[in-house]
Amino acid sequence: MAGEASSGTFLQGLERGLAVIRAFSAQAPSLTLSEVARDVGLTPATARRILLTLEQLGYVRTDGRQFSLTPRVLALGWAYLSSLDLGELAGPYMEELSAATRESCSIATLDLPDIVYVARVPTSRIMTVALGVGARLPAYPTSMGRVLLAGLSSSELDVYLANMQTEQLTPRTVTSASLLRAAVDQARADGYALVDQELELGLRSLAAPIYNSRGRVVAALNVSAHASRSTPESLCEEVLPHVLCAADHITTALKHRGHL
Amino acid sequence: MAGEASSGTFLQGLERGLAVIRAFSAQAPSLTLSEVARDVGLTPATARRILLTLEQLGYVRTDGRQFSLTPRVLALGWAYLSSLDLGELAGPYMEELSAATRESCSIATLDLPDIVYVARVPTSRIMTVALGVGARLPAYPTSMGRVLLAGLSSSELDVYLANMQTEQLTPRTVTSASLLRAAVDQARADGYALVDQELELGLRSLAAPIYNSRGRVVAALNVSAHASRSTPESLCEEVLPHVLCAADHITTALKHRGHL
């Protein structure tokens, strides 16, 4: 433990280092030392030590003034995705689902208060990087969020509902805790969730849960469709059976694989 | 700096924490404390502090015995993608390239000794998650690797060639440092690289460099094709002009955008 002290068991240097990595974004692809210090809430001396450590490890590069992340950072997210291994396992079923419904489909997991995309099959060949793997959306106005919230324990759901920050994203967005709880209960009872233009006008989405071998909801599978190409009724009649079937296949494949 | 000491400016806790995240993989989706300690080369006490810190920050979860990563980890790796922004910028050109050549195309950057995929347009709708964003391949037997190596300074290339670990992946794989240097020099002179079944029998690939506004190679664009559908000659005649044109468009778009 030479040269490594901290309060209790918590490693503050690690926390701060991860916060520095997260400070970079599309809006801030490169940052100066003082910008990093300000954004993360560190002294310049601490920010400097973290940036130099990250540079030495190959996660950050600098021209002397501006710092930016390197592709090595992808190895961190990749560790999660490959350990989840859901994309590869679910891929063929998602392909089938997308072909059968002619709509794009996705898998997301929960990282409260958000859902995080872990696999996606777009309909057209247009690359929608904006909703690619790793993209995040708030849980409350999305169909995948609803079925994932339905998989929480009741105390976890209580905490989420008590603390959630909602926004009236469209005139249809459910923002009250009691109505959202009812929608989540409904999703649990139904085994799926339909969300009709609550995230974005013109977008309807249908999701079903994926379970691990212990019966816990670990992910959600969805199909989303332009409102112009669907009605809630047509989604339930024509798309829902395919979604439920694919989610079931993925659940079975997960069981056979064992982990998660 | 309360509670945070280290040797010089280097934060060992940060280095070790990142190494622990990378210890998880498809082969090891969950690990015990002692497995983490062994794999990363830490004492159990240090491994424990790191895992508890990561758990407290939400990057790791545990059932008390087994530890695994959470989707929050994607907030680290994928912050890079959004900051690089290459996928989004290059997307339309990659779509055109893939449509014109009817083959899948990819963009990768260099993280020695590997290349890392940062964007991909598959030909068919079959999701090849195994080569999705974040996937890594060794640089030496790949066309993108060759053009990226050609963009290194001569001293960086010397270090790589002196230390590279090669494997005879196919009967055609170039594994000697002198032949590889010749291939990299050729790629630099030609402005593209063609690799013929060195990574995998049946796979040919053609790559061209993408430059930033300072003329530095920052990424490579490739098209890969099954050997049954192409000859090296047909690739150079029919596919190469499209690859060079798309790489040129992406380079121009990067210049206009400014950063990188």
Side-chain angles (χ1 to χ4, degrees):
Chain A
M1 299 294 291
E4 192 68 40
S6 81
S7 49
T9 57
F10 192 77
L11 289 165
Q12 205 170 39
L14 177 53
E15 175 184 30
R16 289 167 165 174
L18 296 174
V20 166
I21 291 174
R22 291 180 71 160
F24 294 90
S25 68
Q27 289 71 46
S30 65
L31 294 166
T32 63
L33 193 152
S34 51
E35 286 168 340
V36 167
R38 187 200 58 205
D39 293 356
V40 183
L42 302 172
T43 64
T46 304
R48 184 170 170 276
R49 292 176 68 198
I50 290 169
L51 286 167
L52 293 182
T53 299
L54 289 172
E55 190 195 3
Q56 218 172 315
L57 295 171
Y59 293 100
V60 156
R61 66 181 152 222
T62 180
D63 62 4
R65 210 183 93 79
Q66 295 282 332
F67 292 83
S68 57
L69 298 178
T70 74
R72 179 156 301 175
V73 172
L74 283 176
L76 301 171
W78 188 245
Y80 166 72
L81 276 182
S82 61
S83 75
L84 186 69
D85 200 19
L86 202 54
E88 207 166 337
L89 183 145
Y93 302 110
M94 294 176 75
E95 290 294 337
E96 264 178 48
L97 175 59
S98 180
T101 60
R102 307 179 72 86
E103 301 289 355
S104 58
C105 69
S106 306
I107 289 182
T109 61
L110 199 59
D111 182 24
L112 286 174
D114 297 328
I115 62 168
V116 181
Y117 281 73
V118 297
R120 183 168 166 85
V121 175
T123 306
S124 73
R125 305 257 315 294
I126 293 154
M127 232 184 15
T128 50
V129 171
L131 273 181
V133 168
R136 305 172 83 86
L137 287 174
Y140 68 93
T142 62
S143 63
M144 292 195 282
R146 298 271 166 91
V147 298
L148 290 166
L149 291 172
L152 292 179
S153 71
S154 75
S155 62
E156 287 169 326
L157 182 60
D158 289 347
V159 171
Y160 170 75
L161 291 171
N163 297 294
M164 66 175 186
Q165 308 281 324
T166 58
E167 214 180 314
Q168 195 71 46
L169 301 165
T170 78
R172 307 181 68 102
T173 314
V174 170
T175 57
S176 95
S178 59
L179 288 178
L180 188 62
R181 184 191 293 276
V184 168
D185 288 346
Q186 189 68 47
R188 194 183 304 106
D190 291 342
Y192 72 89
L194 173 70
V195 167
D196 186 4
Q197 308 181 72
E198 294 190 37
L199 177 68
E200 200 181 302
L201 282 178
L203 187 73
R204 294 198 177 98
S205 162
L206 197 61
I210 294 169
Y211 300 91
N212 69 5
S213 52
R214 281 158 290 153
R216 194 166 69 86
V217 176
V218 287
L221 173 71
N222 94 336
V223 163
S224 57
H226 281 288
S228 62
R229 291 199 301 268
S230 66
T231 61
E233 294 70 32
S234 71
L235 281 176
C236 283
E237 272 167 41
E238 291 154 31
V239 173
L240 179 59
H242 294 286
V243 174
L244 292 174
C245 177
D248 203 46
H249 279 139
I250 297 167
T251 292
T252 305
L254 272 179
K255 261 179 205 145
H256 288 150
R257 210 260 320 261
H259 65 253
L260 249 181
Chain B
M1 301 292 294
E4 192 68 37
S6 80
S7 47
T9 57
F10 192 77
L11 289 165
Q12 205 170 37
L14 177 53
E15 175 183 30
R16 289 166 165 174
L18 296 174
V20 165
I21 290 174
R22 293 179 70 162
F24 295 89
S25 67
Q27 288 71 46
S30 64
L31 293 167
T32 63
L33 193 152
S34 51
E35 286 168 340
V36 167
R38 187 199 58 204
D39 294 356
V40 183
L42 303 171
T43 65
T46 305
R48 184 169 170 276
R49 293 175 70 198
I50 290 170
L51 286 167
L52 293 181
T53 299
L54 289 173
E55 189 196 1
Q56 217 173 315
L57 296 171
Y59 294 102
V60 156
R61 65 181 152 222
T62 180
D63 61 6
R65 211 183 91 79
Q66 296 282 332
F67 293 83
S68 57
L69 297 176
T70 74
R72 180 154 303 173
V73 170
L74 284 179
L76 300 170
W78 264 253
Y80 167 71
L81 258 194
S82 54
S83 88
L84 183 68
D85 204 17
L86 200 55
E88 207 166 336
L89 183 145
Y93 303 109
M94 293 175 76
E95 289 294 338
E96 262 179 50
L97 175 59
S98 180
T101 60
R102 308 179 71 85
E103 302 290 354
S104 58
C105 69
S106 306
I107 289 182
T109 60
L110 199 59
D111 182 23
L112 286 174
D114 297 326
I115 62 169
V116 182
Y117 281 73
V118 297
R120 182 169 166 86
V121 175
T123 306
S124 72
R125 305 256 317 295
I126 293 155
M127 227 184 18
T128 50
V129 170
L131 276 181
V133 168
R136 305 171 82 86
L137 287 174
Y140 67 94
T142 62
S143 63
M144 291 195 283
R146 298 270 167 91
V147 298
L148 289 165
L149 291 171
L152 293 179
S153 70
S154 76
S155 62
E156 288 169 325
L157 182 60
D158 288 348
V159 170
Y160 170 75
L161 291 171
N163 296 295
M164 66 175 186
Q165 307 282 323
T166 59
E167 214 180 314
Q168 194 72 46
L169 300 165
T170 78
R172 307 180 69 103
T173 314
V174 170
T175 57
S176 95
S178 60
L179 289 177
L180 188 62
R181 184 191 294 276
V184 167
D185 288 345
Q186 188 68 45
R188 194 183 304 106
D190 292 342
Y192 72 90
L194 172 70
V195 168
D196 186 3
Q197 308 180 71
E198 293 189 38
L199 177 68
E200 201 182 304
L201 282 178
L203 187 75
R204 292 196 178 99
S205 162
L206 198 61
I210 295 168
Y211 301 90
N212 70 4
S213 52
R214 280 158 290 153
R216 193 166 68 88
V217 176
V218 287
L221 172 71
N222 93 336
V223 163
S224 57
H226 282 287
S228 62
R229 291 199 300 267
S230 66
T231 61
E233 293 70 32
S234 72
L235 281 175
C236 282
E237 271 167 39
E238 291 154 31
V239 174
L240 179 59
H242 292 287
V243 174
L244 292 174
C245 176
D248 203 47
H249 279 138
I250 297 167
T251 292
T252 305
L254 271 178
K255 260 180 205 143
H256 289 150
R257 210 258 321 261
H259 66 252
L260 251 180

